[in-house]
Amino acid sequence: MKAPPVTISCRDLTLRFPVYGVDAKSLKKHLARVTVGGRLGSSMAGSTEVTALSQVNLELKAGDRLGLIGHNGSGKTTLLRALSGAYEPDEGQIEIQGRIAALLDLSLGIDPSANGYDNIRLRGRIAGLSSREIEERMEEIGEFTGLGPFLAMPVKTYSAGMQARLAFAAATSVEADVLLMDEWIAVGDADFQKLAHKRLLKLVERAGILVLASHDLDLLRLYCNKVVRLEGGVASPVTDIRKLDELLAA
Amino acid sequence: METATHMLRTGRRGTLFEFHMALRDLRASYDRRGLAWSLAWHDVVSRYRGSILGPFWITLSMGLMVLGIGVLYAKLFSIPVQDFLPFVAIGIVFFGLISGMINEGCETFVNASGMLSQTSLPMFTFVWRTVLRNLINLAHHLVIIVVVLLVYGYWRTANVPLALLGVLFVIVNASWLSMLVGIASARFRDIPQIVVSIMQFAIFMTPVFWKPDRFPDRHAVLDLNPFYHLLQVVRAPLLGEAAGGHSYLILSIMALAGWAVTFTVFALTRRRIVHYL
């Protein structure tokens, strides 16, 4: 069976964040609000809403490498999380054809008290690999980390750099059609960075679509062919990367 | 991360649509049941890493409690030990299962916040993780019950298939309670404290350490207490008694009504849970 081509399509994607302040999370405050009887109607259960993305339209097809730029808080990570399926739109829709891998937080699912092998297994399971697939890749992943005998030791005994190596190797062992990244990942010492870079490039090549949020314009020029600028949750049209300067000037 | 090759996420399209999506979440969690199992197993292994007895430490402390209370209270209440100790043993082990599922249910979604905020894993996966983790613990504690039933000769009269049916009733009911407090705890951080207090209160109000036949007539403390019925459908068959049809009836109604409420709450809050965390 031939899989349909890899695509991402967002139509009028709007995402609102209810902000439950520390106050709102307390039941007492919540009940008090009901009994006092003033503010309940103001918004849903007394929380304020922030519009994180509004009316975002995106159409990407296989081969597209999209860079996301924008100030802090402009909605880049929110858009990535929406694309990963974690946040559901309030309005509009997201449709993705292809397997998604979100490399947003490398430390996801890392248990410091477990050893390296167990962490690779756990991470693989979360990423949707079967136990058999993980065991098949174990050797390759273990070799790539370069941690050797340390893999049998608890991760909490690792240095920060070693932990990053493990997390990186485990996270990038997935096969995906859509790769979501929040900043280009650079971990480890100089040698490892070179290896990591190569591995990531291979992953990007295999993936049909890359969405990369970054502040590093040179990086984006290097890897992306399209770019979208987010400002206060509003997205610019998808622009060719060669027109990046015009987009920034606008 | 999604293993499926197609993902569609849409804005609000009415209540019926939310139920449809909640059902899809449930189905997805079934398709990825291996993941829930892996997570649960990992929880147990990592909690007891480096300890020699592992979960059997809890078994040991439960066993000690059974022995102490079984012998002491039998004396206090003037009941033969062979009657009372098996009764207490089953009560403590299964009340432990119920309260474990409910108390830990409070953390189901809170602990999964990292995964929920960047993957599209089904929410139900984490509910099953809590349930399965407690079932793994139960498997260790069953040693106590097996030993007690063997020592006091109840294995001759125990109706094991009926007791297993009772365990099923317990799991089905405790799971919805677990999920409901999980959603509530994600939204309101006071809930876990309230739940712990209620469960502590419940263990004394429920015939765990005392026998229900101390009441000459059926009493509201028994009839209106869901935990009594939950224990009864497991304990009575194991002790070679009949659980009473009304316990099964009450538990069936409770399971249906409870899941209906829980599923409705889940359907209505599903897209918000990740923002609660």
Side-chain angles (χ1 to χ4, degrees), chain A residues 20 24-27 81 85-86 88-90 92-98 100 104-105 111 113-114 125 128, chain B residues 1 3 5-7 9 11-12 32 34 38 42 46 49 116-118 187-190 270-272 276:
Chain A
Y20 303 97
K25 270 185 180 160
S26 147
L27 192 62
R81 287 185 171 181
E88 298 214 352
D90 288 282
Q93 69 171 40
I94 307 171
E95 189 168 7
I96 296 181
Q97 291 282 359
I100 304 160
L104 303 184
D105 175 10
D111 174 1
S113 66
R125 289 315 300 259
Chain B
M1 274 159 245
T3 38
T5 55
H6 180 243
M7 186 188 83
R9 291 278 191 273
R12 283 208 175 80
R32 300 196 61 179
S38 298
H42 181 86
S46 71
R49 195 183 308 280
L116 287 176
S117 62
Q118 51 183 314
R187 178 69 182 84
F188 301 108
R189 298 302 157 98
D190 306 82
R270 187 186 50 89
R271 52 172 82 230
R272 283 291 172 229
Y276 294 158

Side-chain angles (χ1 to χ4, degrees), chain A residues 56-83:
Chain A
V56 175
N57 282 291
L58 268 183
E59 293 290 337
L60 299 174
K61 54 184 196 313
D64 281 346
R65 313 267 179 257
L66 179 74
L68 293 178
I69 53 172
H71 296 294
N72 296 126
S74 58
K76 300 189 295 294
T77 305
T78 306
L79 180 57
L80 287 175
R81 287 185 171 181
L83 291 177

Side-chain angles (χ1 to χ4, degrees), chain A:
Chain A
M1 198 180 83
K2 201 180 171 306
V6 181
T7 54
I8 294 182
S9 137
C10 294
R11 271 175 235 117
D12 295 328
L13 167 66
T14 296
L15 216 145
R16 288 187 208 96
F17 255 45
V19 180
Y20 303 97
V22 184
D23 279 3
K25 270 185 180 160
S26 147
L27 192 62
K28 189 181 80 184
K29 298 269 166 57
H30 195 72
L31 290 177
R33 200 170 280 140
V34 175
T35 46
V36 171
R39 302 197 349 110
L40 188 69
S42 67
S43 68
M44 229 182 70
S47 60
T48 0
E49 285 196 334
V50 174
T51 305
L53 293 174
S54 86
Q55 306 280 321
V56 175
N57 282 291
L58 268 183
E59 293 290 337
L60 299 174
K61 54 184 196 313
D64 281 346
R65 313 267 179 257
L66 179 74
L68 293 178
I69 53 172
H71 296 294
N72 296 126
S74 58
K76 300 189 295 294
T77 305
T78 306
L79 180 57
L80 287 175
R81 287 185 171 181
L83 291 177
S84 80
Y87 291 168
E88 298 214 352
D90 288 282
E91 283 161 36
Q93 69 171 40
I94 307 171
E95 189 168 7
I96 296 181
Q97 291 282 359
R99 289 162 305 169
I100 304 160
L103 303 183
L104 303 184
D105 175 10
L106 281 185
S107 63
L108 175 73
I110 293 287
D111 174 1
S113 66
N115 69 29
Y117 292 116
D118 284 343
N119 270 301
I120 294 173
R121 283 190 194 103
L122 193 65
R123 177 75 201 217
R125 289 315 300 259
I126 295 169
L129 300 176
S130 71
S131 313
R132 207 161 42 91
E133 286 173 310
I134 296 170
E135 296 312 320
E136 282 167 13
R137 289 169 201 204
M138 188 58 95
E139 202 179 333
E140 183 264 327
I141 299 171
E143 202 177 313
F144 181 78
T145 61
L147 293 171
F150 280 99
L151 281 173
M153 307 243 292
V155 169
K156 63 185 172 200
T157 62
Y158 292 15
S159 72
M162 289 162 76
Q163 281 191 25
R165 279 180 174 225
L166 179 79
F168 177 84
T172 51
S173 66
V174 294
E175 275 164 31
D177 305 314
V178 174
L179 198 59
L180 308 174
M181 265 200 276
D182 204 351
E183 285 298 335
W184 187 263
I185 306 162
V187 290
D189 48 35
D191 287 343
F192 188 74
Q193 274 192 19
K194 233 176 274 166
L195 283 174
H197 194 76
K198 233 189 270 167
R199 188 181 171 94
L200 215 47
L201 276 183
K202 223 189 293 170
L203 199 64
V204 170
E205 270 164 35
R206 273 207 310 262
I209 298 178
L210 166 75
V211 182
L212 168 66
S214 181
H215 295 290
D216 188 340
L217 298 179
D218 294 332
L219 197 84
L220 291 177
R221 281 203 180 87
L222 201 57
Y223 296 122
C224 300
N225 59 4
K226 293 183 175 176
V227 68
V228 161
R229 183 179 183 192
L230 281 164
E231 194 144 10
V234 182
S236 72
V238 180
T239 317
D240 193 287
I241 192 76
R242 279 165 295 191
K243 294 184 185 148
L244 181 60
D245 292 321
E246 296 164 38
L247 186 69
L248 287 173

Side-chain angles (χ1 to χ4, degrees), chain B residues 61-73:
Chain B
S61 81
M62 268 190 182
L64 208 63
M65 195 149 105
V66 166
L67 207 63
I69 292 176
V71 174
L72 178 74
Y73 281 32

Side-chain angles (χ1 to χ4, degrees), chain B residues 69-124:
Chain B
I69 292 176
V71 174
L72 178 74
Y73 281 32
K75 196 103 182 152
L76 287 176
F77 292 142
S78 326
I79 310 171
V81 174
Q82 64 266 33
D83 279 359
F84 192 65
L85 197 134
F87 174 89
V88 168
I90 301 168
I92 289 180
V93 169
F94 279 92
F95 198 88
L97 171 72
I98 298 167
S99 70
M101 274 169 73
I102 297 174
N103 286 335
E104 292 175 21
C106 296
E107 292 153 16
T108 295
F109 295 118
V110 176
N111 284 353
S113 65
M115 283 187 234
L116 287 176
S117 62
Q118 51 183 314
T119 65
S120 58
L121 294 176
M123 301 253 174
F124 265 104

